[in-house]
Amino acid sequence: MKKNCLLALILVLSPLVQANEDLSADEQRAATRTSLASEYYRRGAYAVAIEEGKKALESVPNYAQALNVLAVSYVALKDDAKGRMYFEQAVKAAPKDSDINQNFGAFLCERGDYKAGLARYDIVLSNTLYATPELTLIAAANCSLQAGDRALARQYFDRASKQRTNNLSVKFQVANYLLSEGELAQAKQLFIEVLRAVSKAPPELLWLGVRIERKIGNKEAELRYANELKRNHPDSVEATKLMTGQYD
């Protein structure tokens, strides 16, 4: 597992498309260009993604998924004004689209517009067919924490923990939250589940283990995770926190 796997943010883009006889020629061209734009975005070629996204709009001016790719590409280039503009056009073109609302919600929450961001997440969660509601619930919980609303965050975390998921990011973040709430037994259970699922524990996971065992008072386990953190990730932020006693 790479270091940032447990903390990855969600950006949802349309998959590659196949020829579809139900689409008009213009719609097929727009879909193909959007797929190319999505692939360039994933490769970090944001300027090319923008170029392909705009070509998609030449075929279908309000093609929602193209607007979505343009939005996240401009955000990646730190052009928030254009990113917001394309997000707003995208949700106008497809108000209930879960992928677009997921991305726009993340954008809004990251910029402190928590109420609007949570409203976007709630649109996603209203879609009972959405493939990964647990990730949206975690995002909404973290947005609520940033807004200072721990009660609302708890509701989202509780809903996320009830999802039948093997997603390690979800389990890790719920465990972190439970630790902050002093619910140590549940936090440890989730921590152990994640630890057993990875071949090599990343530093943030070991640091979670250190803090849980420290709160419980299990010095032996705390020392074991601390030594593993220092040995395997000596230059990590978490190792620095350990060495300087920054447990909170």
Side-chain angles (χ1 to χ4, degrees):
M1 175 177 291
K2 295 180 181 179
K3 177 178 179 180
N4 64 350
C5 284
L6 294 174
L7 302 174
L9 296 176
I10 308 165
L11 282 178
V12 189
L13 298 174
S14 58
L16 292 174
V17 298
Q18 304 295 325
N20 188 334
E21 294 180 355
D22 294 331
L23 298 179
S24 68
D26 283 344
E27 289 171 334
Q28 186 64 55
R29 280 193 292 271
T32 300
R33 289 292 187 184
T34 299
S35 291
L36 288 171
S38 298
E39 186 59 30
Y40 281 120
Y41 174 87
R42 292 186 182 96
R43 296 179 184 181
Y46 305 124
V48 184
I50 288 170
E51 182 180 340
E52 292 295 338
K54 289 182 176 179
K55 287 179 180 177
L57 296 182
E58 291 174 4
S59 296
V60 180
N62 293 316
Y63 196 70
Q65 292 302 330
L67 294 166
N68 184 37
V69 179
L70 284 166
V72 297
S73 297
Y74 274 114
V75 171
L77 292 174
K78 303 188 185 305
D79 190 337
D80 281 7
K82 286 186 178 178
R84 180 184 287 270
M85 179 187 74
Y86 280 111
F87 272 133
E88 289 173 348
Q89 291 180 27
V91 295
K92 184 177 180 180
K96 298 296 184 181
D97 185 282
S98 296
D99 294 346
I100 294 170
N101 279 289
Q102 178 77 44
N103 291 340
F104 197 14
F107 173 86
L108 292 166
C109 285
E110 287 170 4
R111 283 146 189 83
D113 195 351
Y114 305 119
K115 184 177 180 180
L118 289 169
R120 293 295 163 191
Y121 287 142
D122 285 339
I123 291 173
V124 178
L125 294 170
S126 69
N127 179 2
T128 58
L129 299 178
Y130 193 59
T132 55
E134 67 276 10
L135 297 180
T136 305
L137 288 164
I138 288 294
N142 287 327
C143 185
S144 300
L145 286 177
Q146 292 166 14
D149 192 337
R150 297 192 69 83
L152 182 58
R154 180 58 188 251
Q155 293 178 31
Y156 284 119
F157 275 121
D158 283 347
R159 290 170 63 187
S161 65
K162 292 175 183 176
Q163 297 287 321
R164 293 183 178 180
T165 178
N166 290 320
N167 188 289
L168 301 184
S169 175
V170 171
K171 291 182 178 182
F172 171 79
Q173 294 193 58
V174 172
N176 251 314
Y177 172 74
L178 292 172
L179 170 61
S180 72
E181 293 294 295
E183 298 180 34
L184 303 179
Q186 292 172 279
K188 182 172 180 176
Q189 178 182 343
L190 288 173
F191 162 73
I192 293 297
E193 289 179 15
V194 177
L195 186 65
R196 288 174 176 171
V198 299
S199 57
K200 181 179 179 181
E204 64 267 25
L205 182 59
L206 292 170
W207 181 233
L208 175 61
V210 168
R211 290 180 293 134
I212 290 173
E213 298 297 355
R214 182 180 177 84
K215 285 282 188 180
I216 291 173
N218 187 341
K219 295 297 183 182
E220 181 180 352
E222 178 190 349
L223 183 60
R224 183 170 68 253
Y225 295 132
N227 286 338
E228 187 174 347
L229 175 59
K230 289 185 290 185
R231 181 174 63 253
N232 294 339
H233 309 284
D235 299 323
S236 65
V237 172
E238 292 79 8
T240 299
K241 288 181 178 180
L242 174 66
M243 298 302 291
T244 55
Q246 300 177 53
Y247 292 97
D248 296 323

